[in-house]
Amino acid sequence: MLDSLARFVYRRRRFVAVGGAVFFILAGAIGGSVASHLDPYGADDPATESVKADNLIQGHGYREAGVIVLIKNASVANPGTRARVEGIERRLRAREDVAKVTGYYDTRSRDFVSNGGDQTYIAVALQPTDDKARQDAASSIAHRLDREPGVEVGGLALAEKQVNEQVESDLRRAEMLAFPLLFLLSLLFFRSLVAALLPLMIGGLAIIGTFFVLRVASELGSISIFALNLTTGLGLGLAIDYSLFIVSRYREELAKRGVDSDEAGGRTERWEALRATMRTAGRTVLFSSVTVAAALASLVVFPQRFLYSMGIGGALVALLAAAVALIVLPAVLSLLGPRVNALAPRFLQRRAERDATTTEAGFWYRLSRFVMRRPAPIATLSAAFLIALGIPFLGLKFTSVDAQVLPESATARQVDDVMRSDFPPFRDTPIRLAIEGGGRKAVAAVSSEAKDDPGVAAVGRPQRLSGGVTVVDAVAKGPFISERSKSTVKRLRDLPEPTGATVLVTGASAHFADLQSSLEEHLPLALAIVAVATLVVLFLFTGSVVLPVKALVMNVLNLSAVFGILVLVFQDGNLEGLLDYRGQGALEQTMPILLFAVAFGLSTDYAVFLLSRIKEARDGGASDSESVAIGLERTGRIVTAAALLFSIAIGAFATSQIIFLKENGIGTALAVLIDASIIRALLVPSLMELLGKWNWWAPSPLRRLHARIGLSEA
């Protein structure tokens, strides 16, 4: 298969290169506006009770307050304050996108008055129910009141809009920071200016292709804006990794054939170099992309928009990065030939020549020999260290995505801070009871039961909607993410329903509890998909059943260490000053699932690359120990370079002002670096030495199956 692809690319290299340029232009034109077509975070499962309750009450005319207009230096006892507030309310009620405006002078409720008595707010329910329309309406209101003295606008709908804008801004900043660093490191690792530019070229194609893929996906379904950052960083990182693997192998094959200048060697030698590259590094890239895509595709089983968007975008961009690296890059290499080594400083040129020919004198060869002389203690200490790093993960706590993920400069965050600190607590996150049927008697019974619950502080007046539907708000005694509030939701759901009535429970705490239940329900299937895909792909790649199982175990050790570090940093609030964030005392609850899929795929990616060179050396006649040493020497520098480049590409999102994206960027970068250092340099050679020939064991039926499938290109 790869022979045929190599032959096609080599014969039509100019056509393929021009086609890549055309794709870049068209994809940029179509995908350039992708951010404006993506939807907000999206953490709801349509099958949960809270979502069903929301759909019920919205269908009968209920509109939740999506905008909060905070008015400072405003004592409600002051006649001037009343005139000021009612003037703002009249302007808001005149808008077509506003369904309801509620404030102190409408209700005389002290809930609208701050604890100090010097602030009040107006709750604005928006007419649109579509996410984009709500965001646009909230943004328009904020813009109209922007110059009103002493007025700040916040609320959930505006927070979603500001999160979208912040994600776009963070993406641009991350790219501006990453590209110069990536170029300098690429020059160091690739040893020449021409070779160093190739990964950035392929990375640029992958990024534009990512925009195009997400733009098309947004037309077919609802895609979360949060998918943009991860898939962009992932596409750039994978494209650079794959370019590094292929370019390094191509230069090595040219050196083997003595093609070291434009005059040296003929077409046959250059074709054979490309063919050998595609059959080795190309095959590795193909398998690597499938493992990454399979791991990320496991997220599609989750009904939450945020997670399935990451799954769709991540799987597609992994395959796209591989396609660019296997089609466009070989065409460019065919055009360049030995000129891929051009514009190399003399000291880097000497290093490149040594890299292409040395197998037994390098640092990684000596390190592997050192490790394999002491396999048991090194394996034990390495595993113990990773387990120790993972211990804090046992104390993991969860939080949700709301206005608190925004930077302190965002008005929605500022308003949310004031609402939490200066107003009667938890009024803006009530437990909402949706009652359908049963009449007044049923509503009275439900309200009475809610008042008697030990977790409820107050119950509001019933709001009657059309079609015999009524809404009753119960204010909890604790934050909506607390165990106390979740227990209150459970008790209210367990209450017997009045005769002829249906009672559904929703609200912030109900959504939070339902999200956890949904994640727990779908997690086993996602784990099974990742595990089975990893086992199958690595078996097809190596013909062994031991190596895939060992890879699973090492990936779990890696992930536990990463999760433990994230708990220490973000949950416990360490390094707040250095990383420029304010901790929430917990991690966003979808973060472990997302990181599991991403990091698992990337770890298997590096495992495939290392195992390919070990297997190649073993198939060439080297002993088990010698093949490990040769494989690590051939891949050690490249895997380290790939890990550093990838961690910069994805780790640039550590500069994000959205704490969730910061956690994601740092977590992924840590997973890659730990895998490329402790796992690949210490655990892999020590465990392979301990297992010896058993590394390659498989039952006879599976060995025959592997031979018959014929996936080996050797």
Side-chain angles (χ1 to χ4, degrees), residues 33-367:
S33 61
V34 60
S36 62
H37 291 81
L38 300 181
D39 293 325
Y41 177 70
D44 290 331
D45 179 351
T48 56
E49 181 175 328
S50 54
V51 175
K52 293 177 180 177
D54 287 345
N55 292 336
L56 172 67
I57 60 180
Q58 285 181 7
H60 288 83
Y62 181 83
R63 296 293 182 267
E64 186 178 9
V67 173
I68 298 294
V69 180
L70 179 66
I71 304 168
K72 299 182 176 180
N73 300 319
S75 172
V76 295
N78 188 328
T81 297
R82 178 165 188 164
R84 180 184 175 197
V85 170
E86 290 182 341
I88 295 174
E89 289 180 346
R90 282 194 299 272
R91 291 159 57 188
L92 291 171
R93 289 192 178 100
R95 296 177 60 96
E96 293 183 356
D97 52 13
V98 171
K100 185 179 180 181
V101 176
T102 309
Y104 172 77
Y105 299 105
D106 306 298
T107 63
R108 295 295 173 174
S109 170
R110 299 299 298 181
D111 290 349
F112 288 91
V113 181
S114 66
N115 298 329
D118 59 344
Q119 298 180 92
T120 187
Y121 72 91
I122 302 169
V124 183
L126 301 172
Q127 187 64 44
T129 57
D130 175 72
D131 287 332
K132 289 184 181 297
R134 280 170 51 83
Q135 291 177 31
D136 292 341
S139 180
S140 175
I141 290 171
H143 179 71
R144 293 296 298 271
L145 297 178
D146 185 48
R147 296 185 180 180
E148 191 78 25
V151 173
E152 288 187 357
V153 181
L156 180 60
L158 184 63
E160 292 173 349
K161 179 71 172 180
Q162 291 181 348
V163 165
N164 286 8
E165 294 171 346
Q166 190 65 54
V167 167
E168 290 185 62
S169 173
D170 291 345
L171 177 60
R172 289 192 295 269
R173 181 174 60 253
E175 289 173 350
M176 291 180 64
L177 288 172
F179 266 92
L181 289 174
L182 290 172
F183 172 71
L184 292 175
L185 287 175
S186 295
L187 179 60
L188 176 63
F189 294 139
F190 282 87
R191 315 302 198 198
S192 82
L193 180 61
V194 172
L197 290 173
L198 293 178
L200 299 182
M201 178 194 75
I202 301 303
L205 269 174
I207 287 179
I208 296 300
T210 302
F211 290 168
F212 173 76
V213 166
L214 291 178
R215 178 68 179 85
V216 172
S218 69
E219 294 296 321
L220 302 176
S222 179
I223 302 296
S224 171
I225 185 73
F226 280 77
L228 187 62
N229 281 46
L230 176 69
T231 52
T232 300
L234 188 67
L236 177 60
L238 288 176
I240 290 174
D241 279 3
Y242 297 158
S243 300
L244 182 59
F245 298 162
I246 289 176
V247 172
S248 299
R249 187 58 184 249
Y250 182 66
R251 297 168 77 183
E252 181 181 326
E253 295 296 333
L254 287 177
K256 283 182 182 178
R257 291 163 175 79
V259 185
D260 54 3
S261 68
D262 211 26
E263 293 78 22
R267 289 186 177 182
T268 301
E269 287 79 5
R270 298 181 189 187
W271 152 244
E272 289 297 336
L274 182 67
R275 183 187 182 203
T277 299
M278 293 291 282
R279 294 178 67 175
T280 52
R283 176 173 177 264
T284 302
V285 166
L286 178 62
F287 274 87
S288 296
S289 65
V290 171
T291 58
V292 175
L296 285 162
S298 68
L299 298 176
V300 177
V301 305
F302 294 95
Q304 288 77 18
R305 180 197 300 144
F306 164 70
L307 286 174
Y308 74 67
S309 297
M310 293 290 191
I312 293 171
L316 289 176
V317 78
L319 298 175
L320 175 66
V324 173
L326 290 174
I327 298 174
V328 179
L329 180 59
V332 175
L333 291 175
S334 299
L335 292 171
L336 288 173
R339 285 173 293 181
V340 70
N341 299 316
L343 303 179
R346 187 174 298 276
F347 76 99
L348 290 180
Q349 192 172 7
R350 288 195 298 268
R351 289 187 179 182
E353 293 170 355
R354 187 177 65 232
D355 293 339
T357 57
T358 301
T359 60
E360 300 182 7
F363 166 78
W364 293 101
Y365 184 92
R366 296 193 300 271
L367 175 62

